[in-house]
Amino acid sequence: MTPMVKAEGVHKSYGAAHILKGIDLEVNNGEVFCLIGPSGSGKSTFLRCINHLEKINSGRLYVDGELVGYRQKGDKLYELKDSEVALQRRDIGMVFQRFNLFPHMTALGNVMEAPIQVKGESKAVARERAERLLARVGLADKAGNYPSQLSGGQQQRVAIARALAMEPKLMLFDEPTSALDPELVGDVLDVMRDLAESGMTMVVVTHEMGFAREVGDSLVFMDGGVVVESGHPRDVLTNPQHDRTKAFLSKVL
Amino acid sequence: MTDKIDKVPAGAPAPAGVPPEAIKAIPVRHYGRWVAGVVVVALLVLLGYAFSQGNVRWATVPEKLFDPTILSGLWHTILISVASMALGLVLGVVFAVMRLSKNPVTSSVAWLYIWIFRGTPVYVQLLIWFSLALIFPVFNIGFYKDEMTDVMTPFLAALLGLGLNEGAYMAEIVRAGIQSVDEGQTEASHALGMSQSKTMRRVVLPQSMRVIIPPTGNEFINMLKTSSLVVAVQYPDLLRAAQDIASTSFAVMEMFFVASIWYLVLTSVFSVGQYYLERHYARGSLRALPPTPWQKIKTNLLSLRSDQSGGAA
């Protein structure tokens, strides 16, 4: 079976700053894949490379067997057109640290927007699904509210519903709970746990070690743009092999 | 351990039923305010007196306010202002997007347009459009050919002069608005698979409106007044109508007052419209929309009534 995400020697730099220094990893279908590490270790950058929000400088990145952002013919690479990149992104949902909900649309409008604009779905169909998704994240009664009228946790749950509305085969979470008040974190994690149980493939950049241990199937510890250690979350978190991992975990656990 | 702490909490609530004693203090006297007020009123009285002594036939003003010529001029002023503003808006959006595009040719062309049309006086631009026949006597674009003097009517000259000038200003306003929208909005939209143009139309532009509308309202109010320059291209606007009547009735100042009154009415009406437009685009950025003036009046009246009934009971 082709892995959902496959990275081969992925490098990324901004000018002189070398952020990713050769990432190799595989995310299997239906897996919850957690990325942890100190800030600046490149985990968010790597996540953003997966849906081509960032262009990689070398290596190969595949999602569901398909090269991200490029087409390979023989040994030549062709950059994909914007519209082709957009087509690839349809199937990859992304949840941001800062929610990035559309503030001029209601919660329902946020969830309906992409299916209508991108897939050309009818309003009725999109609304029906949006209502179902909002109910699923526990916000059926907030459908008519604007993002500014919602708490951070509620906004993030709307953002998850918005990503799910495109019926993605892969969900990317970029520190989804880092901008939340501690008491609101639980609601968002519950939604993510529910999503994991439904079999969604998820790549999660997180500082929530509890979530990684309970829900994660694989875990990677990154530092300085490389994968330092990987394995099952329980093994890595309770019995880290690498000194760098031990030092990091001793600070966050 | 040294301290013996008094266990009564510091902020103990006062026992119910006894309201806290209100502070009674002699307020600060603002003598400066009184002096300034008297001086300003005195100056206003002097100004009023001066005008009452002036050789003005005040009766002419209300008499000519609804003169058919004036009303026709008023209509033309509204028409050219709205048309020029519409042209300016369209050009503004187009050139703002061009200016922000990654294509160096389109962004340079947009820069050049803004540089020229913002850098030269609108009066000169109007005269150039009006005098175009001097260098291109014949208008010829292949399938259509005519005398330039027939093509470049006063309306077209006024529209091009005002509209192209406005477009340059609007381009800068729209650009500022687009750049004010958070990068994360574009990213979220792209991550959902929305195209560049859909992102612009559905996500970025609607949000930039909140930044674009207030200065645009000012631009429009400016436009209503700047449109008086179209006298230069023989366009029959409000000022021109006032001048026409003035030249035959010799009530020159009176007619300028008539024109000024109408300009004030126009700018006031559009200011109210701007308030509602800004309120509309504040949706989502404010938790609760500010009440409209009408809603304010209604709630004030209601609270007044309930106060009275409460007092009577």
Side-chain angles (χ1 to χ4, degrees):
Chain A
M1 203 160 89
T2 46
M4 184 54 83
V5 180
K6 187 174 180 197
E8 295 175 350
V10 169
H11 283 258
K12 169 73 191 171
S13 40
Y14 299 100
H18 201 169
I19 308 293
L20 299 178
K21 301 169 183 165
I23 304 287
D24 295 280
L25 53 79
E26 278 186 18
V27 178
N28 292 320
N29 237 321
E31 192 177 38
V32 176
F33 190 97
C34 297
L35 280 166
I36 63 168
S39 49
S41 59
K43 45 193 199 316
S44 286
T45 305
F46 177 69
L47 196 74
R48 293 160 58 84
C49 290
I50 296 177
N51 67 353
H52 209 51
L53 281 179
E54 307 286 352
K55 268 187 198 168
I56 62 177
N57 299 111
S58 90
R60 295 281 188 277
L61 195 51
Y62 301 88
V63 170
D64 207 11
E66 209 179 317
L67 199 55
V68 174
Y70 301 92
R71 187 186 311 110
Q72 188 153 17
K73 251 191 196 162
D75 51 355
K76 269 191 186 161
L77 272 190
Y78 296 87
E79 246 182 79
L80 290 186
K81 285 189 280 184
D82 283 350
S83 56
E84 292 166 318
V85 173
L87 207 62
Q88 287 188 332
R89 284 177 179 147
R90 278 186 188 199
D91 298 334
I92 309 172
M94 182 149 186
V95 175
F96 299 85
Q97 184 178 356
R98 303 279 336 160
F99 327 137
N100 294 348
L101 287 181
F102 304 135
H104 57 302
M105 299 176 194
T106 60
L108 192 71
N110 266 280
V111 183
M112 286 167 64
E113 181 68 10
I116 292 175
Q117 295 299 327
V118 179
K119 287 185 175 169
E121 230 167 49
S122 77
K123 260 194 173 164
V125 174
R127 169 183 291 267
E128 196 268 325
R129 182 185 317 98
E131 279 167 352
R132 204 174 58 222
L133 285 169
L134 284 177
R136 182 171 171 190
V137 299
L139 293 172
D141 54 331
K142 301 286 183 193
N145 287 37
Y146 286 96
S148 61
Q149 299 164 323
L150 300 173
S151 75
Q154 291 169 336
Q155 289 190 50
Q156 193 60 296
R157 285 186 278 156
V158 174
I160 294 172
R162 176 176 72 172
L164 290 176
M166 289 298 284
E167 299 179 324
K169 56 189 177 195
L170 169 67
M171 284 283 283
L172 309 175
F173 291 85
D174 187 6
E175 302 195 23
T177 57
S178 296
L180 297 178
D181 288 343
E183 54 182 333
L184 302 176
V185 168
D187 293 340
V188 172
L189 292 182
D190 285 344
V191 168
M192 290 170 65
R193 194 171 288 130
D194 166 64
L195 196 58
E197 276 162 17
S198 74
M200 175 66 75
T201 313
M202 297 160 65
V203 180
V204 187
V205 171
T206 187
H207 293 298
E208 296 292 330
M209 299 305 155
F211 175 83
R213 184 168 26 216
E214 286 168 41
V215 184
D217 298 305
S218 299
L219 182 137
V220 154
F221 172 70
M222 278 178 73
D223 189 28
V226 293
V227 172
V228 176
E229 195 166 344
S230 61
H232 194 276
R234 220 162 308 142
D235 300 336
V236 179
L237 292 175
T238 51
N239 188 20
Q241 299 300 309
H242 212 278
D243 286 345
R244 189 67 196 88
T245 320
K246 283 177 193 163
F248 175 76
L249 290 176
S250 71
K251 276 179 205 149
V252 297
L253 281 180
Chain B
M1 288 297 141
T2 56
D3 44 353
K4 221 183 100 208
I5 297 167
D6 193 355
K7 286 289 168 64
V8 175
V18 183
E21 195 190 341
I23 289 177
K24 287 192 195 101
I26 293 145
V28 176
R29 308 279 183 218
H30 296 281
Y31 298 110
R33 288 184 194 170
W34 283 97
V35 173
V38 169
V39 169
V40 169
V41 168
L43 287 174
L44 276 178
V45 168
L46 282 175
L47 192 68
Y49 177 74
F51 265 90
S52 72
Q53 295 303 299
N55 192 8
V56 182
R57 279 174 285 160
W58 289 108
T60 320
V61 174
E63 202 175 282
K64 294 289 183 193
L65 206 53
F66 297 99
D67 188 286
T69 314
I70 290 289
L71 291 183
S72 153
L74 179 68
W75 160 243
H76 282 105
T77 286
I78 295 173
L79 182 70
I80 194 66
S81 300
V82 170
S84 306
M85 197 66 202
L87 180 63
L89 272 172
V90 172
L91 290 176
V93 172
V94 169
F95 280 102
V97 171
M98 279 173 70
R99 185 100 167 77
L100 292 171
S101 94
K102 288 184 192 126
N103 184 336
V105 177
T106 53
S107 77
S108 313
V109 168
W111 179 86
L112 193 72
Y113 164 80
I114 294 168
W115 181 63
I116 291 176
F117 284 91
R118 214 170 53 147
T120 54
V122 64
Y123 190 66
V124 176
Q125 289 176 33
L126 282 165
L127 291 174
I128 288 176
W129 286 114
F130 193 55
S131 317
L132 213 57
L134 294 177
I135 48 172
F136 303 114
V138 178
F139 181 79
N140 187 353
I141 47 167
F143 58 91
Y144 182 79
K145 193 176 167 189
D146 204 347
E147 294 281 317
M148 182 58 93
T149 45
D150 291 338
V151 176
M152 194 55 72
T153 58
F155 176 79
L156 192 60
L159 179 68
L160 289 173
L162 294 176
L164 284 166
N165 181 260
E166 188 54 41
Y169 282 94
M170 283 311 303
E172 289 296 271
I173 292 172
V174 173
R175 181 168 70 106
I178 289 174
Q179 285 178 328
S180 76
V181 177
D182 182 44
E183 186 77 23
Q185 292 291 312
T186 316
E187 279 183 359
S189 169
H190 283 168
L192 286 166
M194 284 168 78
S195 66
Q196 219 41 279
S197 64
K198 280 250 166 71
T199 301
M200 185 53 83
R201 270 208 333 271
R202 298 285 309 172
V203 175
V204 177
L205 279 181
Q207 290 184 60
S208 61
M209 279 308 199
R210 215 166 53 79
V211 175
I212 292 173
I213 294 275
T216 303
N218 291 341
E219 285 297 311
F220 186 69
I221 284 168
N222 257 329
M223 175 65 82
L224 284 168
K225 297 177 296 172
T226 311
S227 70
S228 62
L229 291 177
V230 297
V231 169
V233 297
Q234 312 294 326
Y235 186 73
D237 79 322
L238 178 57
L239 181 63
R240 171 76 183 277
Q243 283 178 328
D244 281 353
I245 296 177
S247 62
T248 53
S249 70
F250 303 108
V252 177
M253 270 304 246
E254 289 79 355
M255 291 320 294
F256 288 155
F257 290 157
V258 168
S260 299
I261 289 171
W262 276 119
Y263 280 119
L264 271 176
V265 169
L266 286 182
T267 52
S268 307
V269 167
F270 282 103
S271 301
V272 172
Q274 186 186 359
Y275 177 86
Y276 280 94
L277 206 60
E278 280 177 27
R279 193 172 173 276
H280 174 78
Y281 279 104
R283 245 180 351 172
S285 61
L286 301 173
R287 273 162 202 244
L289 289 176
T292 62
W294 176 237
Q295 284 170 338
K296 265 191 219 163
I297 293 171
K298 249 185 3 194
T299 49
N300 282 346
L301 283 179
L302 282 178
S303 69
L304 209 66
R305 204 179 301 158
S306 63
D307 279 355
Q308 278 171 349
S309 63

